[in-house]
Amino acid sequence: MSITHQRMFSRQLFVGLALLLTLFATNRLAYGWNKPTHMAIGAIAYHDLQTASPQTAGRVAGLLKQHPYYQRQWLPLMDSLQLPAAQRDEYLFMLAARWPDDIRGRDPYHDRPTWHFINYVYAPKQGVARTDTTLATGETILQAYEQNRQLLTSPSPDSSKAVSLCWLFHLAGDVHMPLHTTALVDPQFPQGDKGGNLFRIKVMMSSPTSNLHSFWDGMLLHTDTYASVDSMAVGEQHEFARNQLPQLGNSGIMAWSKESFQLAQDNAYRSNTLQPGTSQEGSLLPPDYVATVRPIAQRQVALAGYRLADELVADLGS
């Protein structure tokens, strides 16, 4: 490669990084995983069911077609994208997984802001890390998940079951995002740091100040096209096959939330060695932080997809 080409490549790489960091910085109200990553979790569940229980995949897709948004939004979207029939059921899984974020602040009838997380208390300066103590926020992700599982297997109308399915898709993803289970409590954050949303960081010295939650939220994927999401899902299943994940033996959302809480302590906050910045200036992440936590995030996404598939078989596979 010539020096001119090297300079052009370096310039393109810098621009790409700047755009990525801008996405991190502007996502002030961070959710769980971002929407493309939630879609990938849905796609992983779809691929897994197509192999292990295609009848369950068909039943789930059939219920999702009874969703209140199917006729007025999802079907026209698939038509406009000219998705072939072979891809439409998978795309429905993708849309279901992101729907609870799509409606945040837009659909008060279905929106449930507190359902997306639980705030287990992590107060390392006091030696406290407890899953039997939470900051009060209203109904938590644990309660919401169980409520929607019960509704799914009840005599409720299929349209109601379709809404519950979307919540199960989404919450299975959210609970595997470590910062959706954690509130760091210390003198800087006496009321908790809202799962890292108040924990101000910078990825590089030249990058804008962002927050820890946004960083984790958008670490893996930023494009929500069918092709990009499906490619991520296929890659995740190749990289993290079921037989490589002994954690799959831990069943139930309570167990999953405790796994994520431990990951938050050990990896997201680095056993309380990661220092937050101020509201004006974020603290610089350690140089090895991204390389260390990215594989953890990828594994969590794979676990979420497989566990979601298992739950769907348990509830709808008979």
Side-chain angles (χ1 to χ4, degrees):
M1 183 183 292
S2 68
I3 293 176
T4 300
H5 285 143
Q6 287 177 337
R7 288 174 177 168
M8 289 177 62
F9 177 78
S10 297
R11 210 174 296 125
Q12 291 170 345
L13 180 61
F14 177 81
V15 171
L17 284 170
L19 288 171
L20 183 62
L21 293 171
T22 300
L23 283 169
F24 288 150
T26 56
N27 186 16
R28 294 298 183 90
L29 182 59
Y31 297 163
W33 304 111
N34 64 5
K35 293 176 184 179
T37 307
H38 272 291
M39 293 170 75
I41 291 169
I44 291 169
Y46 177 81
H47 287 304
D48 195 62
L49 288 175
Q50 283 295 95
T51 299
S53 182
Q55 69 274 16
T56 302
R59 188 172 182 194
V60 171
L63 280 173
L64 290 174
K65 290 171 184 174
Q66 306 305 312
H67 193 281
Y69 278 47
Y70 178 75
Q71 290 290 339
R72 71 187 191 207
Q73 290 193 20
W74 295 350
L75 183 58
L77 175 60
M78 288 189 287
D79 288 342
S80 70
L81 295 174
Q82 298 183 330
L83 287 178
Q87 296 176 353
R88 291 194 171 216
D89 282 357
E90 181 185 0
Y91 197 61
L92 268 181
F93 275 58
M94 295 178 185
L95 292 174
R98 66 176 283 170
W99 179 74
D101 277 349
D102 287 334
I103 64 167
R104 290 188 74 161
R106 299 180 180 181
D107 181 347
Y109 182 76
H110 291 108
D111 188 13
R112 300 290 185 273
T114 70
W115 279 11
H116 297 257
F117 61 94
I118 186 168
N119 281 332
Y120 292 137
V121 175
Y122 178 44
K125 293 188 186 325
Q126 286 76 45
V128 174
R130 298 177 59 171
T131 55
D132 61 344
T133 302
T134 66
L135 298 187
T137 58
E139 287 186 314
T140 70
I141 193 170
L142 305 187
Q143 295 165 308
Y145 192 84
E146 294 305 332
Q147 287 176 26
N148 282 285
R149 279 198 78 186
Q150 290 173 16
L151 194 150
L152 186 62
T153 56
S154 74
S156 300
D158 284 352
S159 58
S160 297
K161 292 183 178 183
V163 169
S164 287
L165 269 175
C166 290
W167 277 109
L168 292 174
F169 273 57
H170 190 81
L171 300 181
D174 274 349
V175 78
H176 284 84
M177 204 284 229
L179 292 170
H180 262 242
T181 63
T182 313
L184 173 66
V185 178
D186 67 9
Q188 186 170 345
F189 309 114
Q191 304 301 316
D193 74 339
K194 297 186 177 180
N197 274 292
L198 302 180
F199 195 109
R200 307 293 276 167
I201 58 98
K202 298 177 77 169
V203 181
M204 298 187 300
M205 282 299 298
S206 58
S207 66
T209 290
S210 181
N211 65 72
L212 194 63
H213 193 117
S214 282
F215 172 79
W216 275 78
D217 179 31
M219 195 189 313
L220 300 180
L221 185 65
H222 283 282
T223 306
D224 65 357
T225 64
Y226 170 86
S228 62
V229 172
D230 182 69
S231 177
M232 176 180 171
V234 171
E236 285 274 320
Q237 289 183 274
H238 177 75
E239 183 73 18
F240 300 97
R242 275 183 171 270
N243 60 11
Q244 298 173 313
L245 296 171
Q247 300 93 333
L248 286 171
N250 300 330
S251 61
I253 192 167
M254 175 66 79
W256 308 340
S257 69
K258 290 181 179 180
E259 288 176 0
S260 287
F261 184 48
Q262 192 64 55
L263 289 173
Q265 297 168 61
D266 297 344
N267 301 105
Y269 294 110
R270 285 206 165 178
S271 301
N272 198 39
T273 62
L274 199 67
Q275 297 302 310
T278 66
S279 58
Q280 290 76 34
E281 185 72 13
S283 63
L284 187 63
L285 289 177
D288 66 334
Y289 189 85
V290 177
T292 301
V293 301
R294 183 178 172 84
I296 294 168
Q298 290 174 313
R299 187 193 66 201
Q300 288 297 100
V301 165
L303 279 169
Y306 291 139
R307 284 169 166 166
L308 172 60
D310 289 342
E311 297 277 78
L312 293 172
V313 171
D315 292 339
L316 298 174
S318 58

